[in-house]
Amino acid sequence: MIPVSDAAWQTPRWQSELADAITDPAELLALLDLDAALLPAALQSAAAFPLRVPRGFVARMRTGDPHDPLLRQVLPIADELATIPGYVEDPLEETAELPDDGVLRKYDGRALVVTTGACGVHCRYCFRRHFPYSDTRAASDGWQPVLARFAADPSLAEAILSGGDPLTLSDRRLALLVEGLGAVPHLRRLRIHTRQPVVLPTRIDGQLLRWLRATRLETVVVIHANHPAEIDQAVRDALAALRDAGATLLNQSVLLRGVNDSVPVLAELSEALFGAGVLPYYLHLLDPVAGAAHFDLPLSTAHALHGGLQRRLPGYLVPRLVREVAGEPMKTPVYA
Ligand SMILES: *Cc1c(COP(=O)(O)O)cnc(C)c1O
Ligand code: SF4
């Protein structure tokens, strides 16, 4: 018999929810009361990049609406199958750059650890949809090669945990990494880029908060919400817990046709984020990745939307409009 009172025997709730995510397009369509005619294209597109969405995120979608802005981010559709010139598999040319230990030295003063290839959700617009996910070995050997890279370079003040989504890793592994980084004397900041607080808010549990509170590093958590309907009470509670543990919270969004390409939606996103203790940080132009062209917008539209936001909101609620240019050592601001 399993002693249920023994915590060591229990899978954390978030891990069960992660394992229970919806991966079958037929199930997603049925749950949302959508036309089964969408199924063949969904299956075909999911063969290239699988469907994955936690049930709690689906619960925030409107039933019967194939254009729901949250659904559009995760449902594989026929548009993905089109080959459009200029939309390529590796727009940021990161495949060539990724060293064995998973540490990307792309920016000055900070280095990015590709901690894992896994994500809690599969976003259809993701530039990593063709990434050789399984190739990163950063977490092996107790992070020793990663920690050695940071220790050897005194110019590094910040460690950025990225992926995939770092918060799909177990707290045991993360605690080991963060403890190791904290022991590197010249490091000041730990930054975590994650969509988990939004798509799987139960991930922010006591185990996670324990190692987060314990680190001497100043901590920044960059979440990733694209639409105000993503932020419900469970998400607000998770974000409040992160803030309570000392983290500064920022958000980055991607500008997506059919999801958040309107001034009222972007303004409400900023308001909802601020209400949850998060400052809008970046609004990214779409990376031109194959299969995501249907999310793209003309540059003139991006400028008009950003201009509309600037007129409507105080400066601290207006995210910076940026794009990522392959090989550039920083984000490139997009000016009108
Ligand atoms: C842009 C970006 C960074 C670094 O850029 P900053 O200008 O320092 O914010 C790091 N990680 C991810 C995932 C990014 O998108
Ligand atoms: S969570 Fe981030 S890295 Fe993962 S699929 Fe979505 S956009 Fe891509």
Side-chain angles (χ1 to χ4, degrees), residues 107 110 112 127-128 158 160-163 191 193 222 250 252 281-282 284 320 322 324 329-331:
Y107 311 102
R110 52 216 195 276
L112 187 151
F127 78 93
R128 290 205 166 100
E158 178 169 326
I160 303 173
L161 309 191
S162 186
R191 187 192 331 179
H193 275 257
V222 183
L250 305 174
Q252 60 175 31
Y281 181 36
Y282 282 137
H284 275 258
R320 272 162 260 189
V322 293
E324 194 99 40
M330 56 173 214
K331 308 252 193 232

Side-chain angles (χ1 to χ4, degrees), residues 114-119 122 128 131-134 136 162-165 168-169:
V114 180
T115 54
T116 170
C119 287
H122 284 177
R128 290 205 166 100
F131 212 77
Y133 271 163
S134 53
T136 170
S162 186
D165 194 316
T168 57
L169 292 173

Side-chain angles (χ1 to χ4, degrees), residues 49 117-129 133 163-165 194-195 224 254:
F49 183 49
C119 287
V121 64
H122 284 177
C123 313
R124 308 313 297 178
Y125 54 83
C126 182
F127 78 93
R128 290 205 166 100
R129 52 178 292 153
Y133 271 163
D165 194 316
T194 176
R195 232 188 150 187
H224 179 162
V254 181

